[in-house]
Structures are given as C-alpha cells and as structure tokens.
C-alpha cells in the first residue's frame, strides 16, 4: 500500500508528487496518456505563463535553473544578486484582451516585495514543466505509471483503492488492477474521473462562448491583426508563432465539444469574429474550450482530495489555471505529508480547502469578469471603454498585476501582522543566503533576524520539521523574526523584539507537538 496515489501526471500532479516524495512519502502516480510528449504540450500550443508565485515555487525547491534550461531560457536566474529593491516587472499581461503597460505598475504598492531570482513570471511550455518535474519525481523515488485509466474509486476509514484499466502492449488484452493507498488525490484535469466517481459537488456558471486554439496554414495571414483583437463579433488572437490562432465565438458554448472542429467550421468562425475573408488552407491541430466556470464545494471527501482543474475549471483568460493548480499542490503537499507521518496538528488537512477554495473562487470570478467584458454587444463594449480607461491609470495597472502575479493572495490565518498569511519575501541575510535557498528540503523555516538568537531555544523544539537560521538581513522590512511554512506562506512574523510565546503557539499550530 502506498501512502498516496495521485491520478494525473500533469504539472499539478507531478508537483504534488515531488512535494510528497521530498517529505519521504511513498507515492504512485497514475496517468491515462501512455506518452509524456504531445504536440499540445510543446511550443507553440503548449506555451504557458508562470506567475512570479509559481516561479518562486520552483526556485524554492531548487528547480528554477533546470526549468529555465528546459524552457530554452539561457539566463542567470539572479542577474543582479546585490540588488535589494525590486525592479519594475517586465510583463503584466492583459485583461479581456486589453494589454497593460508594465511601466505603469507602482512597485512601491506591492506588499513586501524584494528583489530575487523569482521576482518575475516567465513563459515556458507544459513539456518543459513536466519534464523537469518528472525527472525530479524519479530522483525522489516517485513511481509513475502511464497508460492507466482509473475506472473506480472505493474508500473506507483507513484506505482508498483506485481500480484502473490499462494495457501492457497494444496486442495484449486490457486488464484491471487495484491500487491501494492511505490517501488519493485527483489531479486529472477539468473532466476529472476522480471527481465524477466520488461525492464532490461541482457548481458554477454556464458558458458564454466557445473558444478555439488552432495551428493552421493560413493563406493570407496579413488580413489578421497581430495580438489580441476585440471585434464587434468576438475576439481573435494571432500569436507570434506562424499559424497559431486563438478565437472566441460568443455562441453560449453551443459548439459540440465531443466533435473535432473541422477546417470549414474553424474558417467560418475566424471569418465571423475577424470580419475578414481570411482562408485556412490546412488545419494541423485544433481544440475547443469554453468559459464554463465551476468549482467543487470542498476539496476533500474522506481520504480523497482534489487539486488543480479537477477542483475548479474556468476559461484560460488571464492565464490563471496552471498557476492556480500549482498553488494547490504547494499548499496541499506538506499538509498531506504531515498527516501521513502522523505529526500533523488536528485539522491541518482541512485548512487545505479553507485556504485554497477562496483563491479558486476569486480566479473564477476574474475570468467571468473578462468574459462579460468581451461579449459583442453594446453593453459590453461600453464596459470595455470604462475598463480601458481604468487600466490606463497607474492604480488600475497595479491592481491587475497584483491579481495576476499572485502578490495579492493572502490566507486568513488570524494573525495581526500584515505579513502573516502572505507569500514570504525572499529575505537575504548579510552572508548572502536567501530565504529561498533554505527551503529546498521541504521543511519550514524559522528566520531569526535578532542579534541575540532569541528564538533559538524555542525553534529547536521543532528542529526535525523547522530549520532554524539566525543572522541579520540586508533588508529586514522591519522584521525581527519570521516563521515560514513549507509552502512559503508566512505563518507568523514578529517585530524587532519577537514574542517567544506567540512564536511557539504558531509553530505548534502548523507543525504539531514539539519534541520533549
């Protein structure tokens, strides 16, 4: 029996597997697709944007440099190691197809932001992300079985069993196998089998449009404008890669997505939303999606949990899906590992839903707002004008950047300090060590910035779960000490004279009973 079975070997499932493997759990990942590689994962169709928060997750686990290499980015992840203040972001993105100027971001309004290797988001591909995570998972002893389709999930108070169909070779008969574990996590995407086989309630809103992603040979691409193009009949996006087109057709989601879109259908949609007579000679790859926005009411049912698109689906507007799922995996991994090993404080695993569900709900609303602003009707077009004016202001651009970068996320941990519940800034000690450098082993970190090591005795009571490090920081942001959870969230922060009792209370809340 494994400690955890994960269904789905996409980025979310693999990142979770790495977190659990790092914590010493036995992990089995079951993946329906028989092969890792796919044209849908490679450049250009597989290109995705990682937010600064997601980049930081890879950085903290020592995977940022491999990810940059796999993404074809040959750059130093920390080009200015002596910088204390962060530079303005290089990219901000868009809202409902309306592009923003990164120069309009007010860096001083970003909470607790410091310079560091992970201060920026980046472009990568699903292939690059999955290759890095697969390699790390293998190093950590995680077993990945591909070509396995889960068909049933059964659980009792002590364990859960995934029954799966699969085949060894094309010429052999299908067989059924039962995979037993103490816990099971569904990371199997928007059409999650695990979610459908268990008692999760999935609620939300129906679609306003059908979207298409197309790789085609276009006879007359000059008839299409570059980038995002909002039109009176919809929206189209001409990517930088030749023949890579995105389209939104405001048909109320009427297209039958069980059918593969034909060249004739795609050409008709593109002509309608672009207002041109553009011609598609050949369609090499095409898929469809909608802005249906749904979320499970809880992320846990007994010994079964959900993460990523299995727990929430929405349109890709704003590039939130991958980042939202990686955040789920980072939040869940250390909590589930502590539960497996038996030292989790009461209720720790339930904080996964309590913390991540509001973040997911906000992402769904973010995409709903963009869908509403992109409808081809006079009301939406009037709304576009208002929003465009707001986005042309410094405050408006800064607000959008906070939402898309993850810097506005804050869990309600009940602490009084404004840093509690936020992603920890990458504090740097005078000896050059950064907070991110201290988190590679998956433990929490107690960073004591006082000169008298006032928290040493207290922190050492949790030394097997929390790394204690002391020393002055180059820019301490007025902090005397900070307790950081394994997911990079600040569990507690103290001023220049830290309260030992408050520190111990926070440590016990998140890391369980201390050793005697």
């Amino acid at each position: 029996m494994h400690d955890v079975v994960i269904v789905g070997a996409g980025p979310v499932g693999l990142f979770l597997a790495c977190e659990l493997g790092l914590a010493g759990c036995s992990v089995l990942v079951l993946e329906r697709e028989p092969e890792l590689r796919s044209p849908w994962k490679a450049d250009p169709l597989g290109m995705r944007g990682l937010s600064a928060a997601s980049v930081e997750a890879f950085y903290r686990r020592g995977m940022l440099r491999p990810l940059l290499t796999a993404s074809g980015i040959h750059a130093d992840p920390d080009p200015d190691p002596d910088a204390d203040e962060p530079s303005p972001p290089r990219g901000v993105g868009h809202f409902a197809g309306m592009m923003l100027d990164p120069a309009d971001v007010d860096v001083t309004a970003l909470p607790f932001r410091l310079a560091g290797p992970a201060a920026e988001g980046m472009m990568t591909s699903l292939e690059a992300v999955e290759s890095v995570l697969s390699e790390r998972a293998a190093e950590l002893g995680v077993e990945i079985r591909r070509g396995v389709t889960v068909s049933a999930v059964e659980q009792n108070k002590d364990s859960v069993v995934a029954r799966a169909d699969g085949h060894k070779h094309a010429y052999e008969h299908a067989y059924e196998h039962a995979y037993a574990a103490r816990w099971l996590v569904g990371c199997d995407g928007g059409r999650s089998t695990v979610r459908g086989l268990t008692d999760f309630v999935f609620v939300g809103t129906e679609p306003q449009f059908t979207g298409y992603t197309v790789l085609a040979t276009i006879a007359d691409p000059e008839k299409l404008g570059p980038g995002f193009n909002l039109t009176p009949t919809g929206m189209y996006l001409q990517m930088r890669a030749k023949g890579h087109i995105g389209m939104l057709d405001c048909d109320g989601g009427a297209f039958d997505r069980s059918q593969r879109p034909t060249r004739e259908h795609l050409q008709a949609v593109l002509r309608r939303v672009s207002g041109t007579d553009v011609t598609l000679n050949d369609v090499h790859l095409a898929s469809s999606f909608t802005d249906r926005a749904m979320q499970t009411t809880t992320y846990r049912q007994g010994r079964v949990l959900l993460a990523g698109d299995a727990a929430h689906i929405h349109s890709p507007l704003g590039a939130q899906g991958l980042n939202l799922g990686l955040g789920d995996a980072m939040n869940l991994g250390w909590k589930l590992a502590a539960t497996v090993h038996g030292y989790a404080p009461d209720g720790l695993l339930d904080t996964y839903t309590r913390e991540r569900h509001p973040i997911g709900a906000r992402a769904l609303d973010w995409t709903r707002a963009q869908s509403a602003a992109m409808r081809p009707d006079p009301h939406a077009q009037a709304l576009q004008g208002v929003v465009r004016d707001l986005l042309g202001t410094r405050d408006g651009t800064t607000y959008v950047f906070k939402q898309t970068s993850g810097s506005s996320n804050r869990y309600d941990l009940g602490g009084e300090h404004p840093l509690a519940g936020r992603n920890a800034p990458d504090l740097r000690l005078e000896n050059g060590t950064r907070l991110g450098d201290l988190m590679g082993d998956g433990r929490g970190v107690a960073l004591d910035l006082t000169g008298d090591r006032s928290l040493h005795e207290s922190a050492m009571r949790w030394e097997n779960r929390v790394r204690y490090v002391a020393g002055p920081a180059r820019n301490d942001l007025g902090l005397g000490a900070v307790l950081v959870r394994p997911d990079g969230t600040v569990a507690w922060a103290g001023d220049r004279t830290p309260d030992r009792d408050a520190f111990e209370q926070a440590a016990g809340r998140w890391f369980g009973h201390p050793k005697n």
Side-chain angles (χ1 to χ4, degrees), residues 28-231:
L28 171 66
V29 182
L30 305 176
E31 169 56 40
R32 178 181 59 193
E33 297 297 327
E35 301 294 335
L36 172 63
R37 296 186 179 278
S38 162
W40 289 105
K41 297 178 181 180
D43 185 9
L45 297 177
M47 292 303 292
R48 296 293 187 274
L50 289 183
S51 68
S54 295
V55 173
E56 194 149 38
F58 281 87
Y59 159 58
R60 287 169 172 160
R61 296 300 187 256
M63 293 187 287
L64 178 54
R65 192 175 293 275
L67 180 61
L68 291 171
T69 301
S71 305
I73 302 173
H74 304 290
D76 188 342
D78 194 4
D80 189 2
D82 294 323
D84 289 324
E85 299 299 327
S87 59
R90 292 190 297 269
V92 182
H94 71 94
F95 181 89
M98 293 173 273
M99 303 304 295
L100 293 99
D101 186 349
D104 287 336
V105 174
D106 182 3
V107 179
T108 63
L110 304 177
F112 305 102
R113 189 168 185 257
L114 292 175
E120 291 279 354
M122 62 176 282
M123 293 301 298
T124 184
S125 67
L126 293 176
E127 182 176 84
V129 171
E130 291 184 12
S131 65
V132 169
L133 291 174
S134 294
E135 183 175 345
R136 178 58 58 89
E139 293 171 357
L140 295 170
V142 172
E143 182 182 0
I144 302 174
R145 296 191 184 183
R146 299 186 181 274
V148 178
T149 302
V150 172
S151 56
V153 174
E154 305 161 1
Q155 65 171 311
N156 56 42
K157 65 182 182 65
D158 297 316
S159 64
V160 59
V161 175
R163 300 192 180 279
D165 302 320
H167 60 275
K168 294 180 179 178
H169 301 286
Y171 53 81
E172 291 187 345
H173 294 295
Y175 64 91
E176 182 181 83
H177 195 96
Y179 301 96
R182 297 170 66 185
W183 299 90
L184 183 143
V185 187
C187 300
D188 49 341
R191 301 181 182 183
S192 171
T193 299
V194 173
R195 184 183 66 228
L197 291 171
T198 44
D199 295 327
F200 289 95
V201 178
F202 203 42
V203 296
T205 53
E206 294 305 314
Q208 301 292 309
F209 65 70
T210 300
Y212 301 89
T213 300
V214 182
L215 187 62
T217 300
I218 306 173
D220 38 16
E222 69 278 359
K223 293 182 178 180
L224 302 175
F228 281 96
N229 293 268
L230 290 169
T231 74

Side-chain angles (χ1 to χ4, degrees), residues 5 21 32 53 72 101 166 256 310 315 321 326-327 366 387 465 509:
V5 163
R32 178 181 59 193
D101 186 349
D256 182 1
S315 81
L326 291 173
W366 186 255
V387 172
R465 301 164 211 164
R509 177 184 179 185

Side-chain angles (χ1 to χ4, degrees), residues 4 6-20 27 29-31 41 50 54 58 63 126 129-130 133-134 137 142 185-190 299 305-312 320-333 352 356:
V4 182
I6 297 172
V7 181
V12 177
L14 290 172
F15 200 102
L16 178 61
C18 290
E19 289 294 281
L20 293 166
V27 184
V29 182
L30 305 176
E31 169 56 40
K41 297 178 181 180
L50 289 183
S54 295
F58 281 87
M63 293 187 287
L126 293 176
V129 171
E130 291 184 12
L133 291 174
S134 294
V142 172
V185 187
C187 300
D188 49 341
Y299 291 0
L305 301 106
L306 301 178
D309 290 349
H312 37 71
Q320 297 295 294
L322 175 58
N323 296 299
L324 186 60
L326 291 173
D328 291 346
M330 197 73 172
N331 186 284
L332 174 59
Y352 169 55
R356 292 304 298 174

